[in-house]
């Protein structure tokens, strides 16, 4: 087999994959309703719980065919009892997406906003919970991928539980990278997609969460057919299969990615992402780039750099220069500041980042961007 060109993806997922994961998709044709296939899904579901150190008697995982946003949709529309309210602790684009989901379903909710470069103020979160005893679900984002800020989920989860609410966390951009302990972190439901921390492909998303709460939600209002958590869970429990056609090839790739996850190990993998992240920051610092999030609040996976004021700076041109040479950089996701992002996801290491900065510097030089870069204020 000819080797596959290796691109270094510095966008926030899908991430660079190993060749073994890529090739794991090439399998003999199989009908996913065969017992052989449900056996594969059983081990997959168990592994997804183990990654967040969940006790298999208490936690389960439920798979969906879709991109990561499907998980947010499923959790919010499925886990809200009648007459109750959702509190979204919102300091970024992904929590804003959760608010939009509430709006689309007409779910009663409070959009508790904080600035995108600040951590949520826990005393305001508590005050809100105290003043709104009808809040039954608190949702937030672990790593706001738009900026790379790390939210204090353990503390928010503790508050949610103190006031009797279920805690759902969008861990799409931390799961299988930054270690998560579902119980100690006071998480009832977390979520991710195969193409991010697991370093597999798009099309498979999953929610890891508390079985008892899912079973309880059987009686909650049904607001979606395809995206209902209890229906999908129940079907899995009864048949071992996904309710509707699963993403077969992505599941094979994810199984290979899980083998590689366990072989690398949680700690070593996080250490590698940290090396990559440190190399990204060292490169940005050397060139004088400012970042949106202060160092002590960074998750360690996404760097959000502010566009310099140099008139020759042109993100598109820098992007294209790097892209043509195998490195993908990504625009920001903040409406108030022009930023670009470099992410530490995927099957990459420090050396890839050093190689990237050689190309990135060439791009700046070609455009005539002054380095260290300049800011007027
Ligand atoms: C990537 C990501 C998602 C999912 O986005 P999709 O485009 O639907 O895959 C959700 N939440 C966070 C925090 C993410 O980083």
């Amino acid at each position: 087999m000819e080797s596959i060109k290796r691109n270094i993806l510095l966008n926030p997922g899908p991430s660079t994959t190993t060749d073994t994961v890529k090739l794991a998709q090439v399998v003999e044709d199989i009908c996913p309703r065969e017992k052989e296939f449900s056996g594969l899904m059983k081990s997959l579901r168990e592994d997804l719980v183990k990654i967040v150190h969940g006790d298999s008697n208490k936690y389960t995982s439920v798979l969906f065919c879709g991109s990561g946003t499907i998980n947010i949709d499923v959790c919010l529309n499925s886990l809200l009892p009648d007459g109750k309210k959702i509190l979204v602790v919102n300091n970024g684009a992904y929590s804003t997406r959760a608010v939009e989901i509430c709006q689309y379903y007409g779910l009663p909710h409070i959009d508790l906003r904080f600035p995108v470069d600040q951590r949520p103020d826990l005393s305001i979160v508590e005050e809100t919970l105290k003043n709104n005893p009808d809040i039954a679900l608190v949702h937030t984002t672990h790593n706001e991928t738009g900026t790379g800020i790390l939210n204090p989920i353990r503390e928010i989860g503790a508050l949610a539980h103190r006031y009797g609410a279920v805690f759902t966390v969008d861990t799409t951009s931390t799961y299988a990278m930054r270690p998560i302990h579902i119980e100690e972190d006071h998480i009832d439901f977390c979520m991710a997609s195969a193409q991010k921390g697991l370093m597999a492909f798009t099309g498979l998303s999953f929610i890891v969460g508390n079985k008892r709460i899912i079973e309880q939600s059987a009686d909650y209002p049904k607001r979606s057919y395809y995206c209902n958590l209890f229906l999908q869970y129940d079907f899995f429990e009864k048949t071992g299969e996904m309710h509707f056609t699963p993403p077969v090839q992505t599941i094979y790739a994810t199984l290979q990615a899980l083998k590689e996850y366990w072989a690398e190990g949680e700690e070593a993998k996080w250490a590698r992402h940290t090396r990559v992240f440190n190399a990204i920051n060292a490169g940005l610092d050397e060139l004088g780039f400012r970042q949106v999030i202060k160092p002590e609040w960074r998750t360690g996976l996404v760097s959000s750099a502010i566009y310099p004021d140099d008139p020759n700076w042109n993100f598109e041109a820098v992007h294209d220069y790097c892209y043509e040479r195998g490195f993908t950089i990504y625009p920001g996701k903040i409406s108030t500041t022009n930023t670009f992002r470099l992410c530490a996801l995927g099957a990459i290491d420090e050396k890839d980042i050093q190689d990237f900065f050689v190309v990135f510097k060439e791009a700046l030089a070609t455009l005539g961007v002054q380095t260290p870069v300049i800011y007027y204020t």
Side-chain angles (χ1 to χ4, degrees):
M1 170 96 45
E2 242 180 273
S3 72
I4 308 164
K5 182 179 172 237
R6 182 163 179 267
N7 287 329
I8 304 301
L9 301 189
L10 301 175
N11 49 295
S15 56
T16 299
T17 56
T18 60
D19 283 358
T20 37
V21 167
K22 288 183 187 80
L23 294 172
Q25 296 175 103
V26 184
V27 290
E28 60 191 35
D29 293 319
I30 182 170
C31 169
R33 300 293 175 206
E34 288 301 325
K35 275 202 281 305
E36 184 184 343
F37 197 77
S38 35
L40 296 176
M41 281 203 288
K42 184 168 186 292
S43 87
L44 172 66
R45 288 181 65 202
E46 288 165 359
D47 270 2
L48 295 176
V49 176
K50 273 188 216 150
I51 286 180
V52 290
H53 303 271
D55 171 354
S56 61
N57 293 315
K58 185 167 174 189
Y59 299 97
T60 187
S61 71
V62 185
L63 313 180
F64 288 89
C65 185
S67 81
T69 303
I70 200 170
N71 294 324
I72 316 174
D73 186 319
V74 167
C75 280
L76 298 180
N77 92 61
S78 307
L79 293 169
L80 186 68
D82 213 10
K84 301 287 185 181
K85 210 186 263 172
I86 292 174
L87 170 64
V88 181
V89 179
N90 180 0
N91 62 344
Y94 287 93
S95 288
T96 298
R97 192 173 292 181
V99 169
E100 285 169 4
I101 289 168
C102 292
Q103 290 165 350
Y104 272 61
Y105 282 106
L107 305 174
H109 65 281
I110 297 173
D111 177 11
L112 190 62
R113 280 173 184 265
F114 298 95
V116 295
D117 57 351
Q118 301 291 317
R119 292 180 127 181
D121 182 332
L122 295 172
S123 65
I124 297 178
V125 174
E126 175 154 22
E127 204 49 39
T128 308
L129 283 162
K130 203 181 284 173
N131 295 336
N132 296 274
D134 57 347
I135 292 171
L137 191 157
V138 176
H139 178 88
T140 198
T141 306
H142 192 193
N143 171 34
E144 262 298 351
T145 321
T147 57
I149 195 168
L150 179 68
N151 282 323
I153 53 167
R154 188 171 287 194
E155 290 76 6
I156 298 172
L159 283 174
H161 287 171
R162 191 174 311 150
Y163 289 86
V166 163
F167 186 42
T168 66
V169 190
D170 180 352
T171 52
T172 313
S173 61
T174 45
Y175 181 95
M177 293 181 283
R178 193 181 171 99
I180 294 169
H181 290 255
I182 191 163
E183 187 135 25
E184 289 168 32
D185 286 334
H186 305 293
I187 297 171
D188 296 306
F189 295 90
C190 60
M191 58 194 78
S193 288
Q195 82 273 15
K196 295 216 177 174
L198 285 177
M199 313 193 305
F201 295 103
T202 54
L204 177 67
S205 293
F206 46 87
I207 295 167
V208 182
N210 186 303
K211 276 188 209 179
R212 185 185 50 79
I213 299 173
I214 300 177
E215 280 160 12
Q216 214 171 299
S217 75
D219 303 330
Y220 295 179
K222 300 285 178 296
R223 302 173 177 99
S224 170
Y225 178 68
Y226 200 81
C227 294
N228 183 273
L229 184 59
F230 177 77
L231 286 183
Q232 185 80 332
Y233 163 81
D234 194 48
F235 199 85
F236 258 120
E237 294 300 302
K238 287 182 177 144
T239 66
E241 294 176 17
M242 268 169 90
H243 204 167
F244 308 107
T245 309
V248 175
Q249 279 65 30
T250 302
I251 287 175
Y252 280 101
T254 307
L255 288 164
Q256 175 62 28
L258 283 164
K259 272 189 207 155
E260 295 177 16
Y261 177 86
W262 298 120
E264 184 172 15
E266 177 183 58
E267 227 177 287
K269 187 171 188 287
W270 177 232
R272 177 171 60 76
H273 290 301
T274 303
R275 271 199 305 281
V276 170
F277 186 68
N278 290 342
I280 290 171
N281 286 315
L284 288 173
D285 288 350
E286 186 200 328
L287 291 168
F289 279 94
R290 291 184 191 161
Q291 293 190 38
V292 177
I293 304 300
K294 60 179 176 181
E296 61 272 32
W297 287 352
R298 295 176 191 161
T299 307
L301 290 162
V302 176
S303 293
S304 196
I306 299 171
Y307 283 7
D309 292 324
D310 193 313
N312 289 333
W313 168 260
N314 176 337
F315 175 77
E316 279 305 315
V318 175
H319 166 276
D320 293 353
Y321 189 95
C322 296
Y323 183 79
E324 283 155 20
R325 288 155 184 82
F327 297 93
T328 302
I329 66 175
Y330 205 67
K333 212 180 177 78
I334 312 176
S335 51
T336 49
T337 319
N338 277 323
T339 58
F340 67 97
R341 286 177 285 171
L342 301 176
C343 305
L345 282 67
I348 59 176
D349 212 330
E350 214 171 6
K351 172 73 168 64
D352 297 310
I353 303 303
Q354 287 152 2
D355 294 346
F356 161 71
F357 273 105
V358 172
V359 171
F360 186 69
K361 277 181 202 167
E362 273 171 25
L364 298 181
T366 306
L367 290 175
V369 175
Q370 194 180 314
T371 54
V373 294
I374 48 168
Y375 294 97
Y376 294 141
T377 48

